[in-house]
Amino acid sequence: MKASKAVFPVFLKRLAGAAALSLLAACETVQTTQGGVVGVERQQRMAVSAGALEEAAQGEYAKVIAQAKQKGVLNQNPSHVARVRAIANRLVPQTANFRPDARSWNWEVNVLSSPEVNAWCMPGGKIAVYSGLIEKLQVTDDELAAVMGHEIAHALREHARERASEQMIASGVVSVGAALLGLGDIGQKGAEFAYMGLVGLPNSRRHETEADRVGIELAARAGYDPRAAISLWQKMGQVAGGEQIKFLSTHPTQADRLKDLTNYSQRVMPLYQQAKR
């Protein structure tokens, strides 16, 4: 017997609700980091495992580094490499203030020769800084620490995992029939969304604000002036012009970001002053 047109949409709505509840039940609520002086204490719902995300990150990072080596653009400027790694060596120990396990991550830091103004840190501490960021912005060490602290903060807060989880839940609700009738492929889907979280989805404004705040605290604790984050983002806005800068995708407005950075840099100034003694 065929279902009537009136009944079928109701069935779909119930199915969608059941699929959403099924996926949400599979989520875990986590506190990825301690709050720090900046007070970033939001709990996060995760549907993708940390292990799946880190495995995807290791594979993607290895691919990027291998391609850079093949093209002859990996760590070509010894001065840039020395600067970036020296700053990382001061920032990484401070990650323990947000999550103690981060100090034991297998950290890697490399510089890629590229005109692109960009930097990133994948889960597990895989960092890349592009020479274009250093050269086009003429960054000071304090400003470079602000960039790297910001990117490290994304990894500490597991924002890529959170983005992948949100996408996985959204996709599961859209394809409700498959989600309910074929839950056996959730593991494979988790791996796919882990990859998307790394390379296919932009950060949200909330993630960017959290990374700004955690990043300036990391920098301050490492002895870098947290106020440099303000001049960094001012430079970023100036150099952007008509050029597409990945840092600025889905970010807070310039005015909102500078206001927040001014406020929070003052909050962590005692940490910077103590580190400089």
Side-chain angles (χ1 to χ4, degrees):
M1 188 174 75
K2 293 182 180 179
S4 70
K5 292 183 179 179
V7 173
F8 195 62
V10 174
F11 169 73
L12 283 181
K13 288 180 181 179
R14 290 175 181 171
L15 197 62
L21 289 174
S22 176
L23 283 170
L24 285 172
C27 288
E28 59 174 330
T29 300
V30 300
Q31 184 75 37
T32 54
T33 62
Q34 298 170 14
V37 170
V38 292
V40 175
E41 296 176 333
R42 178 180 62 87
Q43 291 191 324
Q44 298 154 279
R45 298 295 296 272
M46 303 296 195
V48 175
S49 75
L53 207 292
E54 188 164 344
E55 183 178 350
Q58 290 176 353
E60 184 64 20
Y61 191 76
K63 186 192 305 180
V64 169
I65 296 304
Q67 290 174 348
K69 187 179 297 185
Q70 185 178 25
K71 295 177 181 178
V73 297
L74 178 66
N75 298 327
Q76 290 299 295
N77 186 317
S79 176
H80 289 348
V81 175
R83 281 185 73 194
V84 168
R85 288 182 174 172
I87 292 169
N89 286 340
R90 288 170 57 176
L91 289 173
V92 168
Q94 304 309 320
T95 60
N97 291 286
F98 288 94
R99 52 184 301 169
D101 66 308
R103 290 195 66 173
S104 63
W105 288 357
N106 185 22
W107 293 87
E108 292 184 47
V109 185
N110 291 288
V111 178
L112 306 181
S113 296
S114 167
E116 190 175 336
V117 178
N118 198 15
W120 39 263
C121 178
M122 286 188 178
K126 309 301 184 187
I127 299 173
V129 175
Y130 291 58
S131 60
L133 185 148
I134 298 171
E135 295 164 359
K136 289 187 178 181
L137 300 187
Q138 292 294 298
V139 288
T140 65
D141 282 357
D142 291 322
E143 290 168 341
L144 193 50
V147 173
M148 294 173 64
H150 174 98
E151 295 305 314
I152 288 171
H154 279 309
L156 296 178
R157 290 288 295 161
E158 298 188 44
H159 285 152
R161 182 183 171 201
E162 188 175 16
R163 296 196 310 274
S165 298
E166 291 168 353
Q167 186 70 12
M168 183 176 179
I169 292 169
S171 178
V173 172
V174 170
S175 55
V176 287
L180 278 182
L181 300 176
L183 285 176
D185 67 346
I186 285 296
Q188 180 180 349
K189 289 293 184 185
E192 292 174 2
F193 286 117
Y195 179 81
M196 289 178 66
L198 286 169
V199 300
L201 300 171
N203 292 327
S204 69
R205 291 186 177 183
R206 176 172 61 186
H207 290 171
E208 289 303 317
T209 298
E210 288 182 352
D212 279 349
R213 295 175 182 178
V214 172
I216 59 174
E217 180 168 337
L218 289 173
R221 288 182 179 277
Y224 294 103
D225 191 335
R227 295 167 296 188
I230 300 169
S231 59
L232 167 73
W233 291 107
Q234 287 172 333
K235 286 182 178 181
M236 198 77 76
Q238 291 168 359
V239 79
E243 181 182 356
Q244 178 64 33
I245 292 183
K246 289 185 180 179
F247 268 136
L248 305 182
S249 174
T250 69
H251 281 216
T253 66
Q254 183 82 336
D256 287 346
R257 170 166 251 154
L258 293 178
K259 181 179 179 180
D260 195 73
L261 286 171
T262 299
N263 179 17
Y264 279 85
S265 63
Q266 289 302 316
R267 188 176 297 193
V268 299
M269 276 300 288
L271 297 175
Y272 167 61
Q273 292 163 347
Q274 182 177 0
K276 293 297 286 183
R277 289 175 186 168

